[in-house]
Amino acid sequence: LLNIFFLLFKKNYKIFKKRKMLSKAKLTTMKYLKNEYDKLQNDPILSLGCTVGLVNNDIFHWKITLLGPVDTPYAGGLFILTADFPEKYPNVKPEVKFVNKIYHLNVSPSSGHICISILNSFKPKTPIVDVISGIFSLFYNQNPDSPYSSDMADEYRNKRGEFDKKAKEWTAKYASMNQ
């Protein structure tokens, strides 16, 4: 009977110890994210038409809105993104994607995933404000060398007027502030 008790205690102690370690890692990530979130609230990017908020007060899930800049096909659009941070952030990249559809070379039309070097070659300790700034810069500087669709890249390179027209149409249809 004593042996059974000892075996159960040993097994439960290992489970408890593992949970405690995960909790410590999660707590560290939460503190890191809170610090980044607080710094972001005073960052100049917010003056460019960007907002950042928590989804359901969860520090691991953020909602980001970007206003489409004037002089781009995205002007007048309100683009919504989500940023989901893993427990091992900042050592593991966040998943950042568009919620509403956008006609853009570097964004998947079906999933909203973004093809951008700062995420593709993510380095630990990269501030999230740099990721957001990089995404915002894609409104101005699309990268035809790293497209989600080769057809879109061809259209962008060879029929830019048609590409911009579609981007404006999608902006009006999927990112209108009147929706």
Side-chain angles (χ1 to χ4, degrees):
L1 189 62
L2 191 58
N3 284 342
I4 293 171
F5 175 77
F6 179 74
L7 288 174
L8 288 173
F9 175 79
K10 187 176 177 182
K11 182 179 176 184
N12 288 331
Y13 178 75
K14 285 181 182 178
I15 292 170
F16 173 76
K17 190 174 179 182
K18 186 175 181 180
R19 283 186 185 158
K20 188 174 179 182
M21 286 173 47
L22 288 176
S23 296
K24 184 178 179 185
K26 189 172 183 177
L27 184 61
T28 301
T29 301
M30 289 173 72
K31 287 178 183 177
Y32 189 88
L33 282 169
K34 171 126 178 39
N35 186 37
E36 276 208 87
Y37 184 81
D38 290 344
K39 283 182 187 175
L40 192 56
Q41 299 309 310
N42 297 316
D43 196 276
I45 194 166
L46 296 182
S47 66
L48 298 175
C50 172
T51 64
V52 179
L54 303 180
V55 176
N56 297 323
N57 289 325
D58 184 348
I59 197 71
F60 288 93
H61 305 287
W62 296 10
K63 177 182 175 182
I64 302 163
T65 60
L66 301 174
L67 292 178
V70 178
D71 299 329
T72 71
Y74 309 101
L78 179 65
F79 297 92
I80 301 166
L81 297 90
T82 57
D84 294 317
F85 299 91
E87 284 187 21
K88 293 184 179 181
Y89 179 82
N91 296 315
V92 176
K93 74 178 180 177
E95 181 180 321
V96 184
K97 64 182 182 176
F98 280 85
V99 173
N100 45 354
K101 287 187 173 189
I102 179 173
Y103 196 77
H104 193 289
L105 281 178
N106 308 110
V107 180
S108 168
S110 57
S111 69
H113 285 102
I114 305 160
C115 186
I116 185 171
S117 60
I118 198 163
L119 284 174
N120 294 343
S121 57
F122 187 80
K123 293 179 177 63
K125 306 289 183 176
T126 299
I128 192 65
V129 70
D130 291 356
V131 174
I132 295 169
S133 296
I135 294 168
F136 191 79
S137 73
L138 284 178
F139 284 126
Y140 296 102
N141 303 308
Q142 299 193 39
N143 184 356
D145 296 325
S146 183
Y148 260 96
S149 161
S150 58
D151 291 338
M152 283 177 77
D154 289 341
E155 183 182 36
Y156 182 83
R157 286 185 181 113
N158 304 316
K159 299 176 185 174
R160 183 64 183 269
E162 288 180 32
F163 180 92
D164 288 350
K165 182 181 176 193
K166 285 181 187 174
K168 286 178 185 177
E169 289 170 356
W170 280 43
T171 297
K173 186 174 182 177
Y174 299 113
S176 171
M177 288 191 252
N178 297 327
Q179 291 179 344

